[in-house]
Amino acid sequence: HLFSNFTKQSFNWVFLSFRSLALTPIQRPEMYIIGAQPSCSQLSGLSQGQRKLCQLYQDHISYIGEGARMGIKECQYQFRQRRWNCSTVDNSSVFGRVIQIGSREAAFTYSISAAGVVNAISRACREGELSTCGCSRSARPRDLPRDWLWGGCGDNVHYGYRFAREFVDAREREKNYPRGSTEHARTLMNIQNNEAGRQAAYNLANVACKCHGVSGSCSLKTCWLQLADFRRVGEFLKEKYDSAAAMRIGRKGKLELVDKRFNAPTSEDLVYIDTSPDYCLRNDTTGSLGTQGRMCNKTSEGMDGCELMCCGRGYDQFKTYKHERCHCKFHWCCYVKCKRCTSLVDQFVCK
């Protein structure tokens, strides 16, 4: 087992503390040397056992923070045109009170953060940054042409997945809420969405190849396992967000569908137990920042349109100058030269 020397209690990382690494990374890499204690003692939210684990796997910590940052950035991109735009509200909680509600939005943040950890750890293994893993050792795909070489240094998605599963799920698995309680339902929801995020990063990894041969003849190919672009992972999880299943805790202490007419969610699907706020107005209790002052698209009928984005409150119109490259020409050889054009455009902002 990846961490056979430690019990699961050693992995009781606090969810918010894990994500706070994304906003407040430790600035001194030399503090990650095995045996150096100051870096772990400076991390808030860790129990005594967690600090011991941190000391033994210090080289992983900065990449966990990197993965969390990737998750936040991708979340903000995917929801840039929604009322809830994945805003980070403060350094201590990252997503604020939004994740305290068992909503679709919380489901997405858990999944994209877990996927980010898989991505960052897997890549760090390949780049030789971690002492306990290296290049991928995944088996040769059966459908790979016989004359293509399977080798190279691939992203170690197997290790990344296993590490993220142990690390991210630890706190949830250590909770001891009464079976069938609301808190127990939320724990099961978090575990499901963490797994969906990890599987997205794992399953979307694909085979990459490089040609070899005289003058680019590609008489020989070397192939390896490579992570998918994280934007693709984000798009995949965004689709899962749109089709997330509404769940409730059943008599047997397990999550069950609210509407039995739908198919049961698989391990790749997102689930939620609470209805989402409308995010129209600022509400410190729910973590909603509201949409006042948000840009909107007057001609769109989607969520980015002024009618839906502004929740019927109306919008203000103003003009602003837009600068962009234009009249680009290719010059031999080999560069493109463009002019800078300025135009006066209309902008619309929610009241």
Side-chain angles (χ1 to χ4, degrees), residues 13-237:
W13 265 75
V14 178
F15 176 84
L16 299 181
S17 297
F18 149 55
R19 281 157 181 77
S20 70
L21 285 170
L23 296 184
T24 55
I26 295 174
Q27 301 297 321
R28 296 175 58 191
E30 68 272 14
M31 295 176 75
Y32 288 110
I33 299 173
I34 295 297
Q37 299 180 8
S39 62
C40 297
S41 63
Q42 290 176 0
L43 293 177
S44 61
L46 300 181
S47 68
Q48 183 177 355
Q50 291 160 359
R51 287 195 170 85
K52 183 177 181 180
L53 175 65
C54 173
Q55 291 166 8
L56 292 171
Y57 289 94
Q58 290 182 53
D59 57 352
H60 288 55
I61 303 302
S62 62
Y63 295 100
I64 294 169
E66 179 182 328
R69 287 192 295 275
M70 290 174 60
I72 293 171
K73 184 177 179 180
E74 187 59 28
C75 181
Q76 292 174 340
Y77 176 84
Q78 294 298 333
F79 288 86
R80 67 196 184 282
Q81 296 178 340
R82 297 284 187 116
R83 290 175 183 169
W84 179 73
N85 59 357
C86 203
S87 299
T88 52
V89 296
D90 58 63
N91 284 353
S92 62
S93 64
V94 184
F95 293 113
R97 294 182 179 273
V98 169
I99 61 169
Q100 295 181 14
I101 303 171
S103 64
R104 290 173 183 260
E105 290 72 38
F108 186 87
T109 60
Y110 274 73
S111 66
I112 197 69
S113 298
V117 175
V118 174
N119 192 289
I121 294 295
S122 301
R123 185 60 51 83
C125 288
R126 188 200 72 182
E127 294 176 351
E129 299 292 338
L130 304 180
S131 60
T132 52
C133 64
C135 299
S136 172
R137 295 182 179 179
S138 58
R140 177 190 179 93
R142 294 181 179 180
D143 58 349
L144 196 70
R146 189 175 299 177
D147 56 342
W148 292 6
L149 296 178
W150 179 247
C153 188
D155 294 315
N156 198 335
V157 294
H158 299 286
Y159 183 93
Y161 171 86
R162 294 196 308 271
F163 181 89
R165 181 180 60 195
E166 297 292 342
F167 190 93
V168 179
D169 281 2
R171 177 173 180 258
E172 309 299 335
R173 297 193 184 282
E174 292 166 4
K175 291 175 179 176
N176 193 27
Y177 294 124
R179 192 175 183 85
S181 65
T182 301
E183 295 82 3
H184 182 226
R186 180 59 196 273
T187 298
L188 296 177
M189 169 190 157
N190 294 345
I191 291 175
Q192 165 76 22
N193 294 321
N194 287 342
E195 179 63 13
R198 290 190 296 268
Q199 288 213 16
Y202 183 91
N203 293 333
L204 289 175
N206 49 40
V207 174
C209 298
K210 181 179 180 180
C211 284
H212 305 279
V214 180
S215 301
S217 62
C218 204
S219 57
L220 181 65
K221 277 189 176 182
T222 300
C223 303
W224 59 89
L225 188 64
Q226 181 171 288
L227 289 163
D229 185 83
F230 202 64
R231 178 55 40 79
R232 187 181 173 198
V233 176
E235 291 170 349
F236 179 85
L237 289 175

